[in-house]
Short mmCIF file of all heavy atoms in Angstrom, two decimals:
data_model
loop_
_atom_site.label_atom_id
_atom_site.label_comp_id
_atom_site.label_asym_id
_atom_site.label_seq_id
_atom_site.Cartn_x
_atom_site.Cartn_y
_atom_site.Cartn_z
N ASP A 1 -33.04 -14.16 -93.24
CA ASP A 1 -33.22 -15.14 -92.16
C ASP A 1 -32.90 -16.55 -92.66
O ASP A 1 -32.27 -17.35 -91.95
CB ASP A 1 -34.65 -15.09 -91.62
CG ASP A 1 -34.93 -13.82 -90.83
OD1 ASP A 1 -33.94 -13.19 -90.40
OD2 ASP A 1 -36.11 -13.49 -90.65
N GLU A 2 -33.35 -16.85 -93.87
CA GLU A 2 -33.08 -18.17 -94.44
C GLU A 2 -31.58 -18.38 -94.67
O GLU A 2 -31.05 -19.47 -94.42
CB GLU A 2 -33.85 -18.34 -95.76
CG GLU A 2 -35.36 -18.44 -95.58
CD GLU A 2 -36.08 -18.59 -96.91
OE1 GLU A 2 -35.39 -18.61 -97.95
OE2 GLU A 2 -37.33 -18.68 -96.91
N MET A 3 -30.90 -17.34 -95.12
CA MET A 3 -29.46 -17.45 -95.32
C MET A 3 -28.73 -17.68 -94.00
O MET A 3 -27.83 -18.52 -93.92
CB MET A 3 -28.93 -16.17 -96.00
CG MET A 3 -29.37 -16.01 -97.45
SD MET A 3 -28.72 -14.51 -98.20
CE MET A 3 -26.96 -14.84 -98.17
N ARG A 4 -29.13 -16.94 -92.98
CA ARG A 4 -28.51 -17.13 -91.66
C ARG A 4 -28.77 -18.53 -91.14
O ARG A 4 -27.88 -19.18 -90.58
CB ARG A 4 -29.06 -16.08 -90.67
CG ARG A 4 -28.47 -14.70 -90.85
CD ARG A 4 -28.73 -13.84 -89.64
NE ARG A 4 -30.17 -13.60 -89.46
CZ ARG A 4 -30.81 -12.55 -89.94
NH1 ARG A 4 -30.15 -11.63 -90.65
NH2 ARG A 4 -32.09 -12.39 -89.73
N GLU A 5 -30.00 -19.02 -91.34
CA GLU A 5 -30.34 -20.36 -90.88
C GLU A 5 -29.50 -21.39 -91.61
O GLU A 5 -29.06 -22.39 -91.02
CB GLU A 5 -31.83 -20.63 -91.11
CG GLU A 5 -32.32 -21.95 -90.52
CD GLU A 5 -32.17 -22.02 -89.02
OE1 GLU A 5 -32.24 -20.96 -88.36
OE2 GLU A 5 -31.97 -23.15 -88.50
N GLY A 6 -29.24 -21.17 -92.87
CA GLY A 6 -28.40 -22.09 -93.63
C GLY A 6 -26.97 -22.10 -93.09
O GLY A 6 -26.34 -23.17 -93.01
N VAL A 7 -26.47 -20.93 -92.74
CA VAL A 7 -25.12 -20.85 -92.17
C VAL A 7 -25.08 -21.59 -90.83
O VAL A 7 -24.14 -22.34 -90.55
CB VAL A 7 -24.70 -19.38 -91.99
CG1 VAL A 7 -23.36 -19.31 -91.24
CG2 VAL A 7 -24.58 -18.69 -93.34
N LEU A 8 -26.09 -21.38 -89.99
CA LEU A 8 -26.13 -22.04 -88.68
C LEU A 8 -26.16 -23.56 -88.84
O LEU A 8 -25.47 -24.28 -88.12
CB LEU A 8 -27.35 -21.56 -87.89
CG LEU A 8 -27.36 -20.09 -87.46
CD1 LEU A 8 -28.67 -19.74 -86.77
CD2 LEU A 8 -26.18 -19.79 -86.54
N GLN A 9 -26.97 -24.03 -89.77
CA GLN A 9 -27.05 -25.48 -89.98
C GLN A 9 -25.72 -26.04 -90.48
O GLN A 9 -25.30 -27.13 -90.08
CB GLN A 9 -28.17 -25.79 -90.97
CG GLN A 9 -29.57 -25.54 -90.41
CD GLN A 9 -30.65 -25.86 -91.42
OE1 GLN A 9 -30.38 -26.25 -92.56
NE2 GLN A 9 -31.91 -25.70 -91.01
N GLY A 10 -25.05 -25.28 -91.34
CA GLY A 10 -23.76 -25.72 -91.85
C GLY A 10 -22.73 -25.83 -90.74
O GLY A 10 -21.94 -26.79 -90.71
N ARG A 11 -22.71 -24.87 -89.83
CA ARG A 11 -21.77 -24.91 -88.71
C ARG A 11 -22.11 -26.02 -87.73
O ARG A 11 -21.23 -26.62 -87.11
CB ARG A 11 -21.74 -23.56 -87.99
CG ARG A 11 -21.35 -22.41 -88.87
CD ARG A 11 -20.04 -22.68 -89.61
NE ARG A 11 -18.87 -22.49 -88.75
CZ ARG A 11 -17.63 -22.82 -89.08
NH1 ARG A 11 -17.41 -23.36 -90.26
NH2 ARG A 11 -16.65 -22.60 -88.24
N GLU A 12 -23.41 -26.31 -87.59
CA GLU A 12 -23.80 -27.41 -86.72
C GLU A 12 -23.32 -28.74 -87.28
O GLU A 12 -22.88 -29.62 -86.52
CB GLU A 12 -25.32 -27.43 -86.54
CG GLU A 12 -25.81 -28.46 -85.54
CD GLU A 12 -27.27 -28.30 -85.21
OE1 GLU A 12 -27.71 -27.15 -84.99
OE2 GLU A 12 -27.97 -29.33 -85.16
N GLU A 13 -23.37 -28.88 -88.59
CA GLU A 13 -22.85 -30.10 -89.22
C GLU A 13 -21.34 -30.21 -88.99
O GLU A 13 -20.80 -31.31 -88.78
CB GLU A 13 -23.16 -30.11 -90.72
CG GLU A 13 -24.64 -30.27 -91.04
CD GLU A 13 -25.20 -31.57 -90.50
OE1 GLU A 13 -24.52 -32.62 -90.65
OE2 GLU A 13 -26.31 -31.54 -89.93
N TRP A 14 -20.66 -29.08 -89.00
CA TRP A 14 -19.21 -29.08 -88.73
C TRP A 14 -18.94 -29.52 -87.29
O TRP A 14 -18.01 -30.29 -87.03
CB TRP A 14 -18.64 -27.70 -88.99
CG TRP A 14 -17.20 -27.58 -88.58
CD1 TRP A 14 -16.12 -28.20 -89.15
CD2 TRP A 14 -16.68 -26.79 -87.51
NE1 TRP A 14 -14.96 -27.86 -88.49
CE2 TRP A 14 -15.27 -26.99 -87.49
CE3 TRP A 14 -17.25 -25.92 -86.58
CZ2 TRP A 14 -14.45 -26.35 -86.56
CZ3 TRP A 14 -16.43 -25.28 -85.67
CH2 TRP A 14 -15.05 -25.50 -85.66
N LEU A 15 -19.77 -29.06 -86.35
CA LEU A 15 -19.59 -29.48 -84.96
C LEU A 15 -19.73 -30.99 -84.81
O LEU A 15 -19.03 -31.61 -84.02
CB LEU A 15 -20.61 -28.77 -84.06
CG LEU A 15 -20.45 -27.26 -83.85
CD1 LEU A 15 -21.49 -26.75 -82.86
CD2 LEU A 15 -19.05 -26.92 -83.37
N LYS A 16 -20.63 -31.56 -85.58
CA LYS A 16 -20.82 -33.01 -85.51
C LYS A 16 -19.55 -33.74 -85.93
O LYS A 16 -19.23 -34.80 -85.38
CB LYS A 16 -21.99 -33.43 -86.40
CG LYS A 16 -23.35 -32.97 -85.89
CD LYS A 16 -24.47 -33.40 -86.84
CE LYS A 16 -25.83 -32.91 -86.33
NZ LYS A 16 -26.93 -33.29 -87.28
N THR A 17 -18.82 -33.18 -86.87
CA THR A 17 -17.58 -33.84 -87.30
C THR A 17 -16.53 -33.81 -86.19
O THR A 17 -15.68 -34.70 -86.12
CB THR A 17 -17.00 -33.17 -88.56
OG1 THR A 17 -16.59 -31.83 -88.25
CG2 THR A 17 -18.03 -33.14 -89.68
N LEU A 18 -16.59 -32.80 -85.32
CA LEU A 18 -15.64 -32.73 -84.21
C LEU A 18 -15.87 -33.85 -83.20
O LEU A 18 -14.96 -34.24 -82.46
CB LEU A 18 -15.75 -31.37 -83.49
CG LEU A 18 -15.43 -30.12 -84.32
CD1 LEU A 18 -15.59 -28.87 -83.45
CD2 LEU A 18 -14.02 -30.19 -84.89
N LEU A 19 -17.09 -34.37 -83.18
CA LEU A 19 -17.44 -35.42 -82.21
C LEU A 19 -17.22 -36.82 -82.75
O LEU A 19 -17.38 -37.79 -82.00
CB LEU A 19 -18.91 -35.26 -81.79
CG LEU A 19 -19.24 -33.98 -81.01
CD1 LEU A 19 -20.74 -33.91 -80.73
CD2 LEU A 19 -18.46 -33.94 -79.70
N GLU A 20 -16.88 -36.95 -84.01
CA GLU A 20 -16.70 -38.28 -84.61
C GLU A 20 -15.67 -39.13 -83.87
O GLU A 20 -15.90 -40.34 -83.68
CB GLU A 20 -16.34 -38.14 -86.09
CG GLU A 20 -17.50 -37.63 -86.94
CD GLU A 20 -17.10 -37.39 -88.38
OE1 GLU A 20 -15.89 -37.57 -88.68
OE2 GLU A 20 -17.96 -37.03 -89.20
N PRO A 21 -14.55 -38.57 -83.40
CA PRO A 21 -13.58 -39.41 -82.68
C PRO A 21 -14.11 -39.93 -81.35
O PRO A 21 -13.53 -40.85 -80.77
CB PRO A 21 -12.39 -38.46 -82.46
CG PRO A 21 -12.54 -37.40 -83.49
CD PRO A 21 -14.01 -37.22 -83.66
N TYR A 22 -15.22 -39.36 -80.86
CA TYR A 22 -15.75 -39.75 -79.55
C TYR A 22 -17.08 -40.48 -79.69
O TYR A 22 -17.92 -40.45 -78.80
CB TYR A 22 -15.93 -38.51 -78.67
CG TYR A 22 -14.70 -37.62 -78.66
CD1 TYR A 22 -14.66 -36.45 -79.42
CD2 TYR A 22 -13.58 -37.96 -77.91
CE1 TYR A 22 -13.54 -35.63 -79.41
CE2 TYR A 22 -12.45 -37.15 -77.90
CZ TYR A 22 -12.44 -35.99 -78.65
OH TYR A 22 -11.33 -35.19 -78.65
N ALA A 23 -17.27 -41.15 -80.82
CA ALA A 23 -18.55 -41.80 -81.12
C ALA A 23 -18.93 -42.83 -80.07
O ALA A 23 -20.10 -43.03 -79.78
CB ALA A 23 -18.49 -42.43 -82.50
N GLY A 24 -17.95 -43.51 -79.48
CA GLY A 24 -18.26 -44.55 -78.50
C GLY A 24 -18.32 -44.07 -77.07
O GLY A 24 -18.47 -44.87 -76.14
N SER A 25 -18.22 -42.78 -76.86
CA SER A 25 -18.19 -42.23 -75.51
C SER A 25 -19.56 -42.32 -74.84
O SER A 25 -20.60 -42.25 -75.49
CB SER A 25 -17.73 -40.76 -75.55
OG SER A 25 -17.83 -40.18 -74.28
N LYS A 26 -19.53 -42.46 -73.51
CA LYS A 26 -20.78 -42.49 -72.74
C LYS A 26 -21.25 -41.09 -72.37
O LYS A 26 -22.32 -40.93 -71.78
CB LYS A 26 -20.57 -43.32 -71.46
CG LYS A 26 -20.27 -44.79 -71.72
CD LYS A 26 -20.11 -45.54 -70.41
CE LYS A 26 -19.81 -47.01 -70.67
NZ LYS A 26 -19.63 -47.77 -69.40
N ILE A 27 -20.46 -40.10 -72.72
CA ILE A 27 -20.82 -38.72 -72.42
C ILE A 27 -21.95 -38.27 -73.34
O ILE A 27 -21.96 -38.58 -74.53
CB ILE A 27 -19.60 -37.79 -72.60
CG1 ILE A 27 -18.47 -38.22 -71.66
CG2 ILE A 27 -19.98 -36.34 -72.35
CD1 ILE A 27 -17.16 -37.52 -71.93
#
């Protein structure tokens, strides 16, 4: 469970990088 949670957190951090170009968006 801890390993899976670590993988999930890692992918969530990757998703955050996808949003970096839209940092100033009102969405």
Side-chain angles (χ1 to χ4, degrees):
D1 289 341
E2 291 179 0
M3 290 180 64
R4 283 196 295 267
E5 186 62 30
V7 173
L8 293 176
Q9 290 180 359
R11 301 307 282 171
E12 185 170 316
E13 291 300 316
W14 173 67
L15 291 183
K16 291 179 181 178
T17 66
L18 299 180
L19 294 176
E20 290 175 357
Y22 311 102
S25 174
K26 296 181 180 179
I27 300 170

